[in-house]
């Protein structure tokens, strides 16, 4: 596993994860509204081969449950990124700003260098140091092996 590339992907997709969270919440709310107040009548024997209202309700419940699982996983990923970035900022605010501006806010490294008052050449060295340090904090001991 290339931890630096994985770290870049985590941070670059942060905003997509936030959007996915909102979309999943909307889907769950919609499905809950469609499911609310409806009951499933259990029968001893299935009747016919056509899809009935109960099958549609069961499918909606299944879709809602799957969306809730995906939402929990998405929230965990967002929280992991946020917690690691916040802890990272306590340790080295400059590195955190480089990663946040470059990968999450999609600013150019030249822009970040200008904001930090450092040369473009220096920003590339700092970016690599920041990535390595963040990867260790995000993935732990696996990165060092």
């Amino acid at each position: 596993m290339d931890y630096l590339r994985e770290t870049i992907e985590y941070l670059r997709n942060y905003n997509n994860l936030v959007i996915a969270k909102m979309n999943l919440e909307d889907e769950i709310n919609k499905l809950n509204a469609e499911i609310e107040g409806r009951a499933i009548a259990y029968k001893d024997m299935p009747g016919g081969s056509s899809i009935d209202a109960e099958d549609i309700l069961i499918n909606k419940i299944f879709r809602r449950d799957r969306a809730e699982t995906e939402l929990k996983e998405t929230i965990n990923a967002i929280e992991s990124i946020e917690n690691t970035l916040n802890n990272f900022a306590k340790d080295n605010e400059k590195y955190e700003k480089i990663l946040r501006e470059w990968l999450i806010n999609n600013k150019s490294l030249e822009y970040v260098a200008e904001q930090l008052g450092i040369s473009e050449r220096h920003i590339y060295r700092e970016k690599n140091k920041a990535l390595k340090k963040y990867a260790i904090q995000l993935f732990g001991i696996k990165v060092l092996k």
Side-chain angles (χ1 to χ4, degrees):
M1 180 175 185
D2 183 346
Y3 291 102
L4 296 180
R5 186 172 295 141
E6 192 76 17
T7 299
I8 290 170
E9 287 303 311
Y10 262 72
L11 293 172
R12 278 202 174 132
N13 283 296
Y14 175 84
N15 293 322
N16 290 328
L17 290 170
V18 172
I19 292 168
K21 177 183 171 275
M22 291 186 297
N23 289 339
L24 287 165
E25 289 168 341
D26 288 345
E27 181 181 358
I28 291 167
N29 289 336
K30 178 183 167 201
L31 288 167
N32 279 335
E34 292 173 5
I35 293 168
E36 190 175 314
R38 299 197 48 205
I40 299 172
Y42 293 99
K43 302 174 190 169
D44 289 333
M45 299 294 290
S49 62
S50 65
I51 297 176
D52 60 15
E54 292 171 1
D55 291 335
I56 293 169
L57 180 59
I58 291 169
N59 285 335
K60 287 180 182 181
I61 292 169
F62 174 78
R63 285 181 19 225
R64 183 206 51 204
D65 291 348
R66 188 182 65 211
E68 286 174 345
T69 299
E70 291 172 9
L71 177 61
K72 286 177 190 171
E73 291 173 3
T74 302
I75 289 171
N76 287 340
I78 290 168
E79 288 176 352
S80 174
I81 292 169
E82 287 176 352
N83 290 338
T84 306
L85 271 175
N86 290 337
N87 290 331
F88 195 65
K90 293 175 192 171
D91 187 39
N92 192 320
E93 198 172 318
K94 178 174 68 170
Y95 284 0
E96 184 269 342
K97 184 169 180 101
I98 291 169
L99 296 180
R100 186 179 296 277
E101 291 298 316
W102 173 47
L103 296 170
I104 294 177
N105 297 335
N106 205 25
K107 303 292 184 186
S108 70
L109 283 171
E110 293 77 17
Y111 172 85
V112 178
E114 185 178 307
Q115 295 299 307
L116 293 174
I118 59 178
S119 71
E120 288 182 25
R121 187 175 172 142
H122 188 64
I123 192 73
Y124 284 93
R125 286 192 302 270
E126 293 296 289
K127 167 202 67 132
N128 290 334
K129 290 177 189 175
L131 276 173
K132 287 177 186 175
K133 191 167 187 152
Y134 187 83
I136 292 167
Q137 291 185 15
L138 185 64
F139 296 111
I141 193 72
K142 297 181 282 188
V143 175
L144 298 175
K145 293 182 178 179

